[in-house]
Amino acid sequence: RMRPSSSVAFETLWQERAEYTRILFNTRLAYSWYESAAKHHMITLADWRYTNVQKIDPNFYNDLQFKNGFESVVSIGSKYTFSFNEQVTRPKGNFRSFIGNFEAVGSGVSKLLDQRNTAGTDASTVFGVRATQYLRFDADFAYFWKLPEGQSIVSRMYFGLLYAMGNGRYILPFDKSFFGGGTNVNRAWPAYRLGPGGYRNSAGNVNIAPLKIMGNIEYRFPIVRALKSALFLDFGNVWIIQPDLPVYAAFQDLKETQFALSSFMNQMAIGLGSGLRYDVGFFVVRLDVGWPLRYPYDPEGERGQWAPRPLSWNECTYNIGIGYPF
């Protein structure tokens, strides 16, 4: 009934881009089981990741706010994942889904760390490579309302947090931070071009942050046969926390990038859009067009109180994806 299983995985990913070349290695040991038909657990006892940055364009590197996200780094930790999906038990009715992840990296590897860095001015190393330490949590909740004639409304909320500790004060993996924009979240902005907070970056910047809060509301409906469409509203942003750490030195003087309870709601980006989906059954090809309704970096007096700004076709973002966004 519980269908328990164990797995050992070895992965290698080679990324060759105009800006950089890097190789990512991952080895992990994991156990998983079903508590019920709708509830699944997975514990990754050992997760060893090594990112080797072989070359990087100096101009690209110097333009980055978060520079050490593109440096070689090793991480050793554990992870727990819990997923819940009522669709398997309620195939014809409304249902909920939830995925939560908690990851602890570096807290149990003190014996492996090179202790020569007694001054505490940089990250210690493992086999000569800088090691990172952090806690990471993310939660993704969605609710699906089924309507007549193949229509549905889907709402979603997402929260993600990356908390640096120990060596993480000096180096954090780029892949473990959060970003705004892209094909699945704030679709009115290109990936890595939104935020942090009220910061307005240049067109070439790649921006990430340790805190993410976002949500979506999407109305899905059929057009004819396999061709379907959707109307959606996206909102959210990313922010800097722990701004006094060396890893976030570039943001220390940019107060608009830092999370604050008094201002984060006023820094929410809002986008409206529509899309086409071609559903062949076992996969979906998707085209979405997003319009920014509210820029978090507009002057405060011009943002309005969550009111739409004038639409401009020049500001549209086009996204092509495989599968539904959530």
Side-chain angles (χ1 to χ4, degrees):
R1 181 183 63 85
M2 298 178 71
R3 287 179 283 166
S5 66
S6 58
S7 63
V8 178
F10 305 91
E11 297 176 348
T12 302
L13 175 63
W14 181 291
Q15 294 183 335
E16 181 82 28
R17 296 178 58 92
E19 302 91 350
Y20 58 85
T21 299
R22 63 179 187 164
I23 309 175
L24 296 86
F25 301 95
N26 176 223
T27 301
R28 63 182 182 271
L29 168 65
Y31 295 90
S32 67
W33 70 94
Y34 284 87
E35 178 183 338
S36 66
K39 298 179 182 179
H40 181 256
H41 303 262
M42 175 176 285
I43 296 178
T44 305
L45 292 180
D47 192 343
W48 183 299
R49 297 177 181 270
Y50 169 49
T51 302
N52 183 313
V53 179
Q54 296 194 322
K55 67 177 182 180
I56 188 166
D57 181 80
N59 294 326
F60 172 78
Y61 183 78
N62 292 331
D63 285 343
L64 293 172
Q65 294 281 352
F66 191 70
K67 288 182 170 56
N68 67 15
F70 281 90
E71 296 180 356
S72 298
V73 61
V74 62
S75 64
I76 306 170
S78 301
K79 182 178 179 180
Y80 169 69
T81 300
F82 171 73
S83 59
F84 170 75
N85 193 330
E86 286 184 320
Q87 187 175 17
V88 295
T89 58
R90 307 182 64 181
K92 296 184 179 181
N94 302 337
F95 64 92
R96 299 166 295 173
S97 71
F98 173 83
I99 300 177
N101 298 283
F102 176 75
E103 190 173 358
V105 168
S107 58
V109 296
S110 58
K111 296 298 183 182
L112 293 175
L113 296 178
D114 183 353
Q115 300 300 326
R116 289 178 296 176
N117 182 30
T118 56
T121 56
D122 198 359
S124 300
T125 62
V126 173
F127 305 132
V129 182
R130 298 166 78 198
T132 187
Q133 294 173 293
Y134 60 85
L135 299 175
R136 188 182 191 274
F137 171 78
D138 66 273
D140 192 340
F141 176 81
Y143 196 96
F144 296 75
W145 285 273
K146 290 195 174 182
L147 303 176
E149 300 179 353
Q151 304 172 85
S152 63
I153 296 177
V154 187
S155 64
R156 177 200 190 194
M157 284 296 302
Y158 181 91
F159 174 84
L161 174 68
L162 177 68
Y163 184 83
M165 59 184 188
N167 285 339
R169 295 166 50 87
Y170 305 100
I171 185 167
L172 288 170
F174 172 84
D175 311 84
K176 294 298 180 178
S177 296
F178 303 96
F179 65 92
T183 61
N184 298 331
V185 284
N186 304 91
R187 286 166 281 183
W189 282 264
Y192 301 101
R193 297 295 186 267
L194 176 62
Y199 177 67
R200 184 170 188 171
N201 55 63
S202 62
N205 273 16
V206 175
N207 283 325
I208 53 180
L211 177 65
K212 181 174 185 175
I213 303 174
M214 50 100 13
N216 314 79
I217 301 175
E218 185 166 289
Y219 167 56
R220 300 171 181 173
F221 56 94
I223 298 179
V224 58
R225 296 184 179 179
L227 185 61
K228 302 179 181 181
S229 185
L231 301 174
F232 58 83
L233 177 73
D234 302 335
F235 59 91
N237 207 335
V238 295
W239 290 268
I240 298 297
I241 60 172
Q242 300 176 282
D244 296 332
L245 298 186
V247 72
Y248 298 121
F251 297 100
Q252 289 179 0
D253 297 328
L254 301 174
K255 300 300 182 183
E256 68 272 20
T257 68
Q258 301 168 18
F259 178 82
L261 290 174
S262 59
S263 61
F264 85 98
M265 286 295 292
N266 199 38
Q267 293 174 340
M268 285 285 185
I270 305 176
L272 179 70
S274 179
L276 293 174
R277 290 87 192 274
Y278 189 76
D279 188 348
V280 298
F282 55 93
F283 74 95
V284 176
V285 179
R286 173 168 53 93
L287 170 64
D288 288 331
V289 182
W291 295 271
L293 293 185
R294 188 176 191 273
Y295 286 94
Y297 42 76
D298 275 350
E300 191 165 344
E302 299 177 16
R303 294 178 192 168
Q305 298 299 317
W306 299 82
R309 68 196 315 277
L311 295 179
S312 170
W313 286 103
N314 295 330
E315 297 175 291
C316 291
T317 297
Y318 301 87
N319 299 286
I320 298 177
I322 301 295
Y324 286 102
F326 47 88

